[in-house]
């Protein structure tokens, strides 16, 4: 085998072309893995969010049930007319809003 400048240049060109296509394949493989990983993370996040919302709904329902049991025991506000000093204070608060 003759080793001269032309053979070295052709060999380097072949190696460069092979490396270009090889790295392209590696890049495509890495991208597909990253996309699958992203999809899996989104699915996990969605499942965790659904669990959190379900727990929140259950807690709200339990709180409403507990309040419904206690509500009849709470004192009701009296229907007596407030004093004039109290009503002037309420008007000031209403004017601020």
């Amino acid at each position: 085998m003759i080793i001269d400048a032309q053979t070295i240049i052709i060999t380097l060109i072949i190696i460069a072309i092979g490396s270009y296509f090889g790295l392209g394949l590696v890049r495509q493989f890495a991208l597909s893995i990253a996309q699958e990983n992203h999809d899996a993370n989104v699915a996990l996040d969605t499942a965790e969010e659904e669990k959190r919302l379900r727990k929140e709904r259950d807690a709200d329902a339990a709180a409403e049930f507990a309040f419904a049991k206690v509500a009849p025991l709470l004192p009701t506000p009296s229907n007596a007319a407030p004093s004039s000093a109290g009503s002037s204070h309420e008007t000031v608060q209403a004017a601020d809003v």
Side-chain angles (χ1 to χ4, degrees):
M1 174 180 207
I2 302 172
I3 300 177
D4 59 352
Q6 184 180 4
T7 307
I8 293 174
I9 291 172
I10 291 172
T11 304
L12 289 176
I13 290 173
I14 291 172
I15 291 173
I17 291 171
S19 296
Y20 178 79
F21 287 112
L23 289 175
L25 290 174
V26 169
R27 182 181 173 272
Q28 186 177 10
F29 180 67
L31 178 64
S32 68
I33 289 174
Q35 288 173 336
E36 290 174 6
N37 188 22
H38 176 70
D39 293 342
N41 285 340
V42 168
L44 286 174
D45 289 346
T46 303
E48 288 176 4
E49 181 70 14
E50 288 175 5
K51 275 185 180 179
R52 187 189 65 78
L53 289 175
R54 190 176 319 121
K55 284 182 181 181
E56 188 176 321
R57 272 194 313 269
D58 292 346
D60 287 344
E64 286 181 27
F65 179 72
F67 183 74
K69 288 176 75 176
V70 174
L73 303 175
L74 297 175
T76 57
S78 63
N79 292 335
S83 66
S84 60
S87 61
S88 65
H89 181 66
E90 290 172 5
T91 7
V92 171
Q93 285 181 349
D96 290 341
V97 175

